[in-house]
Amino acid sequence: MAGARTLAIIKPDAFSAGKAGKIIAHLEGQGFAVRAARVMRLTQAQAEEFYAVHRERPFYRSLVTFMTSGPCMPLVLEKANAVTAYRDAIGATDPADAKPGTVRKLFAESKERNAVHGSDSDENAEREARFFFSDAELLAAR
Ligand code: CMP
């Protein structure tokens, strides 16, 4: 993804509350372009694999339950310095700590039900994009 793309997920809390369109519009207004998108409900196995890095954390089981509770919306977003720019745009993990105007301050419910996911490095953005999208989908979006 050459550093210009990141993987976002509109999580089940925000999707089920009908906030997906508002969140995408908010991000587009900040210069992000949607390059791939789908609506899906994660299986337990998918959620466990996606969040495997958090397997030993006390919130892991609750996080898997939440992320499989309803449909979510993985997105590939493009912008210069996409990973950093997107993390700035979404704000801190806990909406209570997120700056005004960030996606989590505007749309998240709690530290767990925090509306959106964002990759934390270019390497993970690439890996996470491939988790949700085929080579053909990622190539077609170029
Ligand atoms: P994200 O940073 O996208 O990926 C890990 C997720 O785990 C995080 O969003 C939250 O949804 C959740 N999470 C992180 N820390 C906590 C916590 N202390 N309690 C509950 N959920 C958490």
Side-chain angles (χ1 to χ4, degrees):
M1 291 197 288
R5 295 187 184 200
T6 192
L7 186 281
I9 307 174
I10 298 176
K11 295 186 181 184
D13 59 320
F15 190 85
S16 65
K19 297 174 181 172
K22 292 189 190 93
I23 290 172
I24 291 170
H26 180 84
L27 292 166
E28 287 178 334
Q30 297 191 2
F32 292 91
V34 177
R35 293 298 183 210
R38 65 188 291 204
V39 174
M40 64 183 295
R41 185 167 181 166
L42 289 172
T43 65
Q44 182 163 327
Q46 286 173 317
E48 287 174 348
E49 185 185 343
F50 188 79
Y51 286 110
V53 66
H54 297 305
R55 194 167 273 147
E56 305 304 325
R57 308 286 283 275
F59 57 81
Y60 178 66
R61 293 278 27 128
S62 176
L63 175 61
V64 169
T65 299
F66 161 53
M67 288 301 294
T68 56
S69 66
C72 67
M73 195 170 181
L75 305 163
V76 173
L77 299 176
E78 185 172 273
K79 185 180 177 175
N81 301 310
V83 168
T84 308
Y86 177 74
R87 290 179 73 79
D88 288 348
I90 64 178
T93 303
D94 187 339
D97 300 330
K99 290 182 184 153
T102 59
V103 171
R104 284 170 171 157
K105 180 58 94 184
L106 290 168
F107 299 107
E109 295 176 21
S110 68
K111 190 168 192 177
E112 178 175 82
R113 299 171 63 85
N114 64 353
V116 287
H117 167 83
S119 306
D120 63 5
S121 66
D122 287 346
E123 185 186 359
N124 281 337
E126 178 76 27
R127 187 178 57 75
E128 292 175 2
R130 289 178 184 284
F131 187 90
F132 291 110
F133 299 101
S134 68
D135 286 351
E137 286 170 305
L138 293 173
L139 275 174
R142 289 210 165 269

